[in-house]
Amino acid sequence: MGIHDIIEGKKQWRAHVARVKALPPDYQIVYKEIQRYLFKIGPIEMSDGSLLSGIVDFFEEGVAAGKGVLELIGTDVAAFCDDLVKDSRTYADLYQESISANPGTAEK
């Protein structure tokens, strides 16, 4: 990864953050909860940023349609996130596999 790629990635992230900040406050709160959850257990493939951008697209469409954020995702943010990543390998899966492979290491 060259310096150009790093700079471009930062520009894209800043643009993404600006889109999130343009959402209504309730959408921003839920987005931050989704982001926190996905960063904790998220899919390994999430590093390209398309999942988070897709969520912002989805939220922007909801705002344009006049819907509340909970109308879009339901009241359980974790269940919504789990449904998004149900077919993807997650860091949580890798952790669970490492514990299963080395049963004595989890107790340390």
Side-chain angles (χ1 to χ4, degrees), residues 41-93:
I41 64 100
I44 297 167
E45 300 86 22
M46 193 171 90
S47 62
D48 69 356
S50 62
L51 179 60
L52 292 176
S53 292
I55 292 168
V56 175
D57 292 341
F58 179 59
F59 281 6
E60 288 171 339
E61 291 171 11
V63 170
K67 294 184 177 183
V69 68
L70 296 181
E71 289 179 75
L72 297 177
I73 70 158
T75 57
D76 189 342
V77 174
F80 175 78
C81 293
D82 288 341
D83 193 45
L84 286 176
V85 299
K86 68 182 174 195
D87 296 326
S88 302
R89 284 188 51 128
T90 66
Y91 289 106
D93 293 335

Side-chain angles (χ1 to χ4, degrees), residues 94-108:
L94 291 178
Y95 178 71
Q96 188 63 41
E97 290 167 10
S98 73
I99 290 173
S100 297
N102 302 309
T105 60
E107 298 172 5
K108 293 182 181 178

